[in-house]
Amino acid sequence: MSQWLVPDLPSFVNAEADRRGSYLWLLGALSLYAAVFLVYSVTWAFTWDESYHLLAAQLMDAGRRPYIDFCFPQTPLNAYWNAGWMRLLGQNWRVPHAFAALFTIGAVLLTADFVFRRFPVGSWRLAAAIAAGLATGLNAMVFEFGPLAQAYGICLFALAAAFRITVRAVDRSGPLLAALAGFFAGVAAGSSLLSAAAAPVLLVWMLFYNRAGRRWTKLLAFGAGTVVPFAPVFRLFWLGPRQTWFNVFQYHAYFRKLYWPETTPHDLEILTSWVDSGQALVLGLLAVFGLLYVARRSAWPRALQAEFYLCAWLAAALSVWVGRAHPTFARYFLLTVPFLTILAVAGLYAIASRVLGEDRALWPVLLVSVLFALGLGKSQYERRDVNWSVYQRQANKVDQVTPRHSLLLADEPIYFLTRRTPPPGFELYYTHKVDLPPAEAALMHIITEAEVKRQVQSGRFATVYSCDEDQIDDYGLEKLYQQHVDMDDCSIFWGWKK
């Protein structure tokens, strides 16, 4: 027997060395991406909507409870995470950005690592893994929204981790991996309900393809793991069931569309916007070809095919789930990107291997990477004028003209940057259109637009900040205040005319 083993040993050692060398190349490419992405996250990354997540985390750090003490229509796990790190490292938007960027980088690495370990064509393994990493990381929605204080980064990582653990759990007899997969699926949903559709898909797939251990045991373990990240929601429900129900469910069912009265046309525009996006077209078409190739033309093992089918089910379920939100937005669909990318790599291989040959992986991967880089560059150019520095200049001016203990009416970015606590009911600008009976509005910490106008015109606020010209005219701010300054399409009013 030793005579048969000895000749194979050098080839085995060489194969392992080549595999390690290829993996180092993959890590090198992704490390370069990670460095650029981290720099971007703490310099230029910004979207207006993240400011209310930052403000909520700031309020939590000060001891105020979401739902109970202020309106926060989100599952709170990501906000608590941000609050904890800002308490340790400082009240600065760069702190949540850095951790969100690390989560996003982790999701990119998990996606590329899956392709490297599971793609069955050796000559394509490294190129396919690099393509998967870059197609995920350079996706415009992932790059722009992944490093923000919103929950996209942590959801991407948790979904990718839940996927990787689930495909391992089917071959393990114990319940630990099933519980861990449920935990990460729960982390994603506990950070944003936009990712909630992934948990049932992962559970059903794991039970259907289970090859070791008892299904009932894994079902209970997965369910227990999913529940753990919702502990903050359960605690808040115990303290205020009515407020928790309103923030987590009722607000989204009835009140989100108030700021978008033409919700249906808006949603149709979003759901068809992929036609105008080069990245979305390339990724979607390659994913479709990849799924067809895996199902109909490949001779891959059935267990491996099932893992690619899971990617398709996750992408489909998440797309339907976020697509039915009213209103929906293009950035919601970034949660599907890792799973579409895995399918797209199979599609790229299926096309390129027939056109160029099975051993020609460099040029197809290079072409796709360049297309994604160009798409990202175009998107960044269109967003070049807005970042946190604009609001920091405005916040500095607000601080300059407003005594520290005087009341300020502003938007969430200014409250956060000046570290001023909003008056009760002013924590979330969007809620002013919600019209509830007075007692219920007080319980939910909601103030209507009419009440905001009344308070402004009564002279309650020492300083008023607004970027809405219609609001400025409607409130008569130029007549109410002695001084004002215009900055970056916004205005700051101070000096009440008694």
Side-chain angles (χ1 to χ4, degrees):
M1 182 178 293
S2 60
Q3 293 176 347
W4 290 100
L5 290 176
V6 171
D8 291 334
L9 184 60
S11 61
F12 172 79
V13 172
N14 290 336
E16 285 299 306
D18 290 342
R19 191 179 181 89
R20 286 196 297 269
S22 297
Y23 199 77
L24 289 177
W25 277 105
L26 173 63
L27 292 180
L30 296 184
S31 296
L32 179 60
Y33 160 79
V36 173
F37 189 62
L38 277 171
V39 172
Y40 169 79
S41 72
V42 296
T43 53
W44 292 100
F46 171 81
T47 189
W48 196 95
D49 287 347
E50 71 167 320
S51 58
Y52 105 90
H53 292 260
L54 288 165
L55 178 61
Q58 196 174 65
L59 294 172
M60 293 176 189
D61 184 32
R64 298 180 65 182
R65 300 161 298 180
Y67 315 160
I68 311 301
D69 298 322
F70 64 95
C71 185
F72 182 67
Q74 301 282 331
T75 44
L77 188 61
N78 181 63
Y80 276 118
W81 171 266
N82 289 339
W85 283 111
M86 287 198 297
R87 171 170 290 188
L88 291 174
L89 302 177
Q91 300 284 337
N92 191 298
W93 57 267
R94 291 182 175 87
V95 174
H97 276 210
F99 282 99
L102 291 174
F103 275 129
T104 305
I105 292 167
V108 170
L109 178 59
L110 287 173
T111 304
D113 180 79
F114 174 83
V115 173
F116 184 86
R117 295 179 184 278
R118 303 298 288 157
F119 202 77
V121 183
S123 59
W124 265 73
R125 187 170 292 121
L126 174 60
I130 292 177
L134 293 181
T136 303
L138 296 180
N139 181 278
M141 293 293 102
V142 171
F143 196 91
E144 292 166 3
F145 292 94
L148 302 180
Q150 293 166 295
Y152 298 115
I154 192 172
C155 287
L156 280 169
F157 176 79
L159 289 174
F163 164 73
R164 293 294 305 272
I165 296 169
T166 298
V167 298
R168 295 287 299 275
V170 295
D171 292 316
R172 299 293 187 273
S173 58
L176 180 59
L177 286 184
L180 198 57
F183 173 78
F184 279 107
V187 167
S191 300
S192 173
L193 288 177
L194 291 173
S195 58
V201 172
L202 292 168
L203 176 60
V204 171
W205 186 92
M206 180 181 66
L207 297 179
F208 184 82
Y209 287 100
N210 184 56
R211 292 184 287 270
R214 300 177 61 184
R215 285 183 170 88
W216 278 107
T217 301
K218 292 184 178 182
L219 170 64
L220 295 175
F222 187 97
T226 305
V227 167
V228 172
F230 281 88
V233 176
F234 297 143
R235 177 178 176 274
L236 293 168
F237 186 83
W238 174 263
L239 296 173
R242 183 69 189 88
Q243 300 97 308
T244 303
W245 175 258
F246 175 84
N247 281 268
V248 177
F249 297 105
Q250 189 177 359
Y251 178 87
H252 298 280
Y254 299 105
F255 300 112
R256 285 188 77 245
K257 60 184 179 182
L258 291 177
Y259 271 85
W260 293 269
E262 300 294 332
T263 304
T264 300
H266 167 87
D267 290 346
L268 289 175
E269 291 177 6
I270 295 298
L271 294 175
T272 57
S273 61
W274 56 271
V275 175
D276 300 320
S277 171
Q279 285 191 342
L281 277 172
V282 171
L283 185 63
L285 290 174
L286 287 177
V288 170
F289 285 128
L291 179 60
L292 292 174
Y293 171 76
V294 171
R296 303 181 63 178
R297 300 298 298 272
S298 76
W300 297 354
R302 293 186 63 184
L304 180 59
Q305 289 180 334
E307 295 172 6
F308 281 79
Y309 296 156
L310 176 57
C311 290
W313 282 114
L314 285 169
L318 288 168
S319 295
V320 172
W321 179 249
V322 302
R324 65 182 294 276
H326 297 292
T328 190
F329 296 94
R331 56 184 175 268
Y332 293 173
F333 292 86
L334 68 84
L335 300 176
T336 68
V337 170
F339 312 113
L340 289 174
T341 297
I342 292 172
L343 291 170
V345 167
L348 181 64
Y349 164 76
I351 296 171
S353 61
R354 291 181 64 88
V355 175
L356 301 176
E358 193 165 293
D359 296 330
R360 299 293 185 91
L362 174 61
W363 290 110
V365 168
L366 184 61
L367 175 61
V368 169
S369 300
V370 169
L371 287 175
F372 271 78
L374 291 175
L376 175 61
K378 178 178 181 293
S379 180
Q380 286 293 296
Y381 179 78
E382 293 171 348
R383 294 168 54 89
R384 66 191 182 280
D385 295 330
V386 182
N387 55 64
W388 275 105
S389 64
V390 173
Y391 289 94
Q392 187 62 66
R393 290 194 299 269
Q394 297 170 355
N396 293 340
K397 184 62 179 181
V398 167
D399 264 338
Q400 178 186 342
V401 302
T402 311
R404 191 64 203 173
H405 298 291
S406 298
L407 284 181
L408 164 70
L409 175 61
D411 293 336
E412 291 94 315
I414 304 303
Y415 284 131
F416 173 76
L417 292 172
T418 59
R419 302 185 188 180
R420 294 172 184 263
T421 301
F426 289 83
E427 297 88 354
L428 178 56
Y429 172 77
Y430 290 148
T431 59
H432 297 326
K433 283 189 176 291
V434 177
D435 190 10
L436 297 173
E440 189 172 5
L443 183 65
M444 305 305 168
H445 308 282
I446 288 175
I447 293 178
T448 64
E449 285 187 339
E451 177 61 18
V452 174
K453 180 179 179 179
R454 187 196 67 79
Q455 292 190 22
V456 170
Q457 294 182 337
S458 71
R460 186 184 184 203
F461 300 100
T463 302
V464 174
Y465 164 96
S466 179
C467 303
D468 187 339
E469 292 184 2
D470 292 335
Q471 182 187 66
I472 292 171
D473 293 338
D474 183 39
Y475 291 2
L477 294 178
E478 293 185 359
K479 298 178 181 180
L480 296 174
Y481 290 88
Q482 298 176 16
Q483 301 182 69
H484 85 276
V485 63
D486 298 324
M487 299 181 66
D488 304 299
D489 298 325
C490 298
S491 299
I492 303 168
F493 297 84
W494 74 97
W496 176 255
K497 296 179 181 178
K498 297 183 180 179

